[in-house]
Amino acid sequence: MRLSRFVEFGRKIIGVGRNYKHHAAEMKSVVPDKPLLFLKPPTAFITEGNPIKVPRGCHELHHEVELGVIIGRKGKDISEIGAMDYVGGYTLCLDMTARDLQEEAKKNGLPWTVAKGFDTSCPVGSFLPKEQVADPHNLPLWCNVNGQMRQEGSTADMVFRIPTLISYISSYFTLEPGDVILTGTPAGVGPVQPGDIVEAGLGSLIRMSFKVQVEEKSM
Amino acid sequence: MRLSRFVEFGRKIIGVGRNYKHHAAEMKSVVPDKPLLFLKPPTAFITEGNPIKVPRGCHELHHEVELGVIIGRKGKDISEIGAMDYVGGYTLCLDMTARDLQEEAKKNGLPWTVAKGFDTSCPVGSFLPKEQVADPHNLPLWCNVNGQMRQEGSTADMVFRIPTLISYISSYFTLEPGDVILTGTPAGVGPVQPGDIVEAGLGSLIRMSFKVQVEEKSM
Ligand SMILES: [Mg+2]
Ligand SMILES: [Mg+2]
Ligand SMILES: [Mg+2]
């Protein structure tokens, strides 16, 4: 299967939390001493044209714009030196987060699973083959809501860079083609409401927009 | 793809925590008022003949024997009344848990991802088509280590039963064929060491065994 169709066949979405210093600070958290990992299931993916749906019980849904690294080769216990060979391409992602459900989970020592992994929690842009990205650690990232700029950062500010993330993650989880690593978000995260338009960009490479909707129950 | 091959194509493993009263008590936890969910990635699956590997940094790896429910039909916002129609079959699972890493995560309000989702953390048995299981809520479950009985329970003691789990989970996560729900473990969880043999059974339907190994680094 072609890697550009990662949304259809990818089996793992690995999120990295607090990977930008100013975002960790705005969350009143410290930068961790090793990558902080969480999972979203593949049912979290949506592509442009599909709405972001506020999950049940969430009253504070946040945008987090992130560089997505798409794995191109299977590997386990990958060294930092060889790690970039496992990258097949990149995309732009929104790590949509039910902040209120996440805060409740944190307080109670419970998994972040619902807060991070609900359906539509991972809007993604088009696939960029790695040859089209000269330096993944020097890309402007931005996110606006209804035309108002909320996040403006650069992948230059990642705490743990891509080779470190791939090496660390693959020491626990075999990486497979189509897996996506969400590399963390710069400062400026904030709430969205039903009806809002969330627009995000990665340098001049990707620009994408998604509408926020109330989740309608078919039950 | 045939459902019996769920390990090859399934894209989601959804764990349910503290779903047996006596296990919640032994963990010094309360029974939650709604299902407590976590995720393992599909790279966690192993079948008989492959070893359980102690993940890096873990010094207390626990066995948890569980009934696995295998989803046979795609669905979202499934009602309890219709939920059993979405079950395609069952299996027996071990929800291997790096208890020390989980305790550290709980204390710090961090995700359980590494503690629950590392490679080999989901040993599974053979596929049982649902027609072969008269009553999934009345199955003996057991687990022994080196021939010494550790867990003996019955799926009759689940706090949240299968229809409730399917309905609740599908209110956040679209369920797809091949997805597996780990329905929780009875009391008696405990540590395993490299060299141990973990054996588990589901009534007279499944009996399986796995050897525990130290993880060897190829790095
Ligand atoms: Mg989690
Ligand atoms: Mg994030
Ligand atoms: Mg369990």
Side-chain angles (χ1 to χ4, degrees), chain A:
Chain A
M1 186 95 73
R2 287 174 55 207
L3 204 55
S4 59
R5 298 172 70 178
F6 67 95
V7 165
E8 292 167 47
F9 70 89
R11 292 175 96 191
K12 230 177 359 277
I13 305 171
I14 301 154
V16 180
R18 303 178 198 163
N19 202 30
Y20 286 76
K21 205 171 54 179
H22 293 122
H23 170 61
E26 76 181 344
M27 296 302 295
K28 301 191 176 18
S29 297
V30 291
V31 167
D33 59 359
K34 58 194 177 210
L36 185 174
L37 306 182
F38 59 88
L39 292 168
K40 295 181 189 256
T43 38
F45 282 133
I46 54 168
T47 52
E48 264 194 300
N50 297 292
I52 295 167
K53 293 182 183 171
V54 182
R56 182 158 74 95
C58 170
H59 302 285
E60 194 185 351
L61 179 62
H62 275 203
H63 55 81
E64 299 188 356
V65 66
E66 316 206 353
L67 175 68
V69 173
I70 299 162
I71 298 299
R73 266 174 65 190
K74 185 170 175 168
K76 169 86 173 110
D77 296 325
I78 299 165
S79 69
E80 287 196 24
I81 290 170
M84 296 306 284
D85 294 344
Y86 290 80
V87 175
Y90 300 92
T91 189
L92 184 63
C93 303
L94 287 163
D95 169 19
M96 298 305 298
T97 302
R99 194 70 72 199
D100 46 356
L101 305 184
Q102 185 196 28
E103 291 301 328
E104 192 190 328
K106 281 184 191 176
K107 200 177 62 192
N108 296 312
L110 295 176
W112 296 7
T113 302
V114 171
K116 284 289 193 181
F118 60 90
D119 279 8
T120 79
S121 63
C122 196
V124 294
S126 52
F127 173 77
L128 299 169
K130 69 170 161 182
E131 299 72 27
Q132 287 178 28
V133 179
D135 181 1
H137 297 103
N138 189 24
L139 294 168
L141 274 175
W142 58 265
C143 178
N144 80 45
V145 178
N146 302 328
Q148 192 185 11
M149 195 56 78
R150 294 274 193 91
Q151 295 188 269
E152 273 190 287
S154 166
T155 60
D157 295 325
M158 285 184 199
V159 175
F160 298 106
R161 294 188 157 219
I162 298 164
T164 306
L165 294 176
I166 289 176
S167 178
Y168 181 82
I169 292 167
S170 74
S171 74
Y172 292 108
F173 306 95
T174 296
L175 289 172
E176 297 178 314
D179 286 352
V180 178
I181 300 172
L182 309 179
T183 55
T185 198
V189 302
V192 295
Q193 309 295 338
D196 285 351
I197 304 288
V198 183
E199 205 179 0
L202 182 70
S204 58
L205 297 166
I206 298 180
R207 189 183 182 115
M208 64 185 192
S209 84
F210 292 86
K211 185 161 185 167
V212 180
Q213 270 187 13
V214 190
E215 159 110 89
E216 293 135 39
K217 293 283 153 193
S218 52
M219 256 162 93

